[in-house]
Amino acid sequence: MARHARGLSRRLTDWTFRSMVMKLTKVWDRISGAEPAAAPKPGAGPRLHSLDALRGFNMFWIIGAERIAHALGALRLSKTALAVEQLSHSQWIGFTFNDLIFPLFIYLVGISLTFSVENRRRRGERTGDLLRHAIIRTGLLFLIGLFMSNSGYFLRGVFDNIRWMGVLQRIALCYGAASFLVLFTKPRQQFLTVCGLLIGYWLLLRFVPVPGAGPGVWTEEGNLANYLDSRFLPGRLYYGTWDPEGLLSTFPAIAACLLGALSGHWLRFEGRLRGKLIDARAKAEYLAAAGLLLAALGLLWGLDFPVIKKIWTSSYILLAAGLSAVLMALFYWLIDIRNWRNWAFPFIVVGLNSIFIYVGSSFLPFDACARWLVGGKAFASLGDWRLLAEALVSFVLQWLLLWAMYQRKIFIRL
């Protein structure tokens, strides 16, 4: 009798959880106009599992790299020094693995955009409908980012110290601009736009003088991008007088999204190039080669226009987008061509709910739960290793939530 009662209780709990989340998801989809992640609709193209996996791989570092780096740094081990360095952002000029994470996400947004637009067009949606969806999605992303950047101020009713820019706000602006260009221009025009944005940004920072510093100064206070933030970006700035997601640096970030869109066009391409049929293997090879070329051009340009993540210099965009393309080609070859998918399953689970976990990691008590779990007597002997254990347990808790949502086919998307 007790066993039957426990089984009934578990089924009731599972049904309540599923019902609650599904209702919330339906309301969210109705507000945002998002596509429910059910079976593919008629006319939809094949799904890139590699895209989901690479997005999940990237999201792991977004929500976990900083804590892991902090925990490894606390150990003060010589063997972990390189890992700590690569999991931390460059102080100013330079490039680390962690500097790749944000532009990689924006690059993947561009790839997703091309597939989404084409699938919707195949289902008969008009350009006006697609534009309306893009505008709504851009607005929602920006508003969510605005809340995440300022939740404490909103909750306290302090509205005169708002930080208007941030990570999700930048993603929203890049997505909105790239959506407009993908809907109304050809790939050739999108490529020319990328060139114009990157070269134009270099010309501005290289030759427009900053009061008190002059032109072509690459210090934090002497460059044009940060100067314009200090003069014209309202509200609270991340670094006091300038913001790493500032006004002028948004334009090269849009170029990163467009480079992703161009990669998406290439992965969707069907036909011949110079008389040779382009199959999936050739797509991966050409994409990897293009990525290496972009990365090399970025390093070369960096001799005159330094690689600086915090102001998104054009050399940084080319280097990051090039490495992103190489990663995309590798994941595409392993998962969609060779069909080696089992190893990528943990990343796919994360990638299918990437925005949800990014927002949720800031508001749900994963870190507090991890500290409680690792803070017991069983872990007392860990010493300085406890911080690393907490970081890993926190991520495991997040993954288990995403896995439970995956099992119930709950995908919250914009």
Side-chain angles (χ1 to χ4, degrees):
M1 186 71 178
R3 185 184 303 170
H4 177 72
R6 285 195 299 270
L8 181 62
S9 175
R10 282 196 299 269
R11 288 194 294 272
L12 181 61
T13 302
D14 182 74
W15 177 84
T16 304
F17 174 79
R18 178 194 289 264
S19 177
M20 179 183 67
V21 177
M22 288 300 293
K23 286 179 180 178
L24 289 174
T25 304
K26 288 179 180 179
V27 171
W28 177 255
D29 289 342
R30 186 174 301 174
I31 294 172
S32 65
E35 299 177 67
K41 297 182 179 181
R47 186 172 190 89
L48 275 184
H49 297 284
S50 55
L51 181 60
D52 294 326
L54 184 52
R55 188 188 298 113
F57 171 81
N58 192 51
M59 186 55 61
F60 166 76
W61 299 109
I62 289 176
I63 62 180
E66 186 174 345
R67 290 201 67 200
I68 292 174
H70 177 71
L72 289 175
L75 295 175
R76 299 192 180 109
L77 300 176
S78 59
K79 294 182 179 180
T80 64
L82 179 61
V84 172
E85 178 186 353
Q86 290 301 311
L87 292 178
S88 304
H89 288 300
S90 300
Q91 291 298 314
W92 187 244
I93 295 177
F95 189 86
T96 66
F97 174 77
N98 206 18
D99 293 332
L100 173 64
I101 303 306
F102 192 2
L104 172 58
F105 192 89
I106 290 180
Y107 172 85
L108 296 177
V109 168
I111 295 181
S112 301
L113 173 62
T114 57
F115 280 86
S116 175
V117 167
E118 180 61 22
N119 288 341
R120 286 173 175 269
R121 279 177 169 162
R122 286 180 179 179
R123 296 201 297 267
E125 295 190 37
R126 297 172 298 180
T127 300
D129 298 326
L130 297 175
L131 180 61
R132 182 170 58 253
H133 169 77
I135 292 172
I136 293 174
R137 193 180 188 193
T138 299
L140 284 173
L141 270 174
F142 196 92
L143 289 174
I144 294 172
L146 200 63
F147 181 77
M148 288 186 65
S149 300
N150 302 279
S151 57
Y153 293 98
F154 286 148
L155 294 174
R156 294 196 304 268
V158 180
F159 298 106
D160 57 350
N161 200 19
I162 298 299
R163 183 185 176 212
W164 292 100
M165 303 297 281
V167 172
L168 278 184
Q169 295 95 307
R170 169 151 291 181
I171 293 173
L173 294 174
C174 291
Y175 166 79
S179 295
F180 182 84
L181 288 164
V182 168
L183 287 174
F184 294 104
T185 65
K186 301 293 184 182
R188 176 183 174 84
Q189 295 168 303
Q190 294 160 29
F191 172 76
L192 293 175
T193 301
V194 170
C195 295
L197 288 171
L198 296 181
I199 294 174
Y201 188 60
W202 167 68
L203 289 172
L204 286 173
L205 269 66
R206 187 71 177 82
F207 297 106
V208 174
V210 174
V217 176
W218 311 124
T219 63
E220 292 187 18
E221 288 76 23
N223 70 83
L224 182 66
N226 289 352
Y227 172 75
L228 292 178
D229 284 350
S230 66
R231 289 293 305 275
F232 301 108
L233 184 57
R236 176 172 54 93
L237 307 184
Y238 190 84
Y239 287 112
T241 58
W242 59 278
D243 201 293
E245 285 82 44
L247 295 172
L248 195 58
S249 62
T250 298
F251 292 97
I254 292 171
C257 195
L258 286 174
L259 286 169
L262 290 169
S263 300
H265 290 312
W266 173 247
L267 292 173
R268 284 185 45 251
F269 177 76
E270 296 179 1
R272 295 178 177 273
L273 183 65
R274 297 177 181 176
K276 180 181 178 181
L277 181 65
I278 300 298
D279 58 7
R281 185 185 182 92
K283 290 179 182 180
E285 292 172 350
Y286 276 106
L287 183 60
L292 292 174
L293 178 60
L294 285 178
L297 289 174
L299 291 173
L300 184 63
W301 203 349
L303 299 176
D304 179 74
F305 194 19
V307 175
I308 305 174
K309 188 263 181 189
K310 291 182 179 178
I311 56 173
W312 292 62
T313 56
S314 302
S315 57
Y316 166 71
I317 295 297
L318 290 183
L319 176 58
L323 295 176
S324 299
V326 172
L327 280 174
M328 184 65 220
L330 176 62
F331 273 61
Y332 181 63
W333 183 80
L334 289 173
I335 297 172
D336 290 308
I337 296 177
R338 302 294 297 176
N339 205 30
W340 295 340
R341 297 181 184 176
N342 291 340
W343 69 273
F345 175 75
F347 296 133
I348 292 174
V349 168
V350 178
L352 287 171
N353 267 311
S354 56
I355 293 295
F356 167 78
I357 197 58
Y358 177 74
V359 177
S361 63
S362 298
F363 295 103
L364 298 177
F366 297 111
D367 290 346
C369 291
R371 283 192 296 271
W372 178 76
L373 289 171
V374 181
K377 293 182 179 180
F379 295 91
S381 61
L382 287 177
D384 291 337
W385 289 88
R386 180 178 294 183
L387 285 176
L388 182 59
E390 287 180 6
L392 296 176
V393 169
S394 177
F395 180 79
V396 169
L397 292 175
Q398 294 175 68
W399 189 87
L400 288 174
L401 173 61
L402 295 176
W403 177 75
M405 296 172 68
Y406 176 87
Q407 291 292 102
R408 294 165 173 79
K409 301 187 185 303
I410 299 170
F411 305 101
I412 300 177
R413 299 172 179 167
L414 283 177

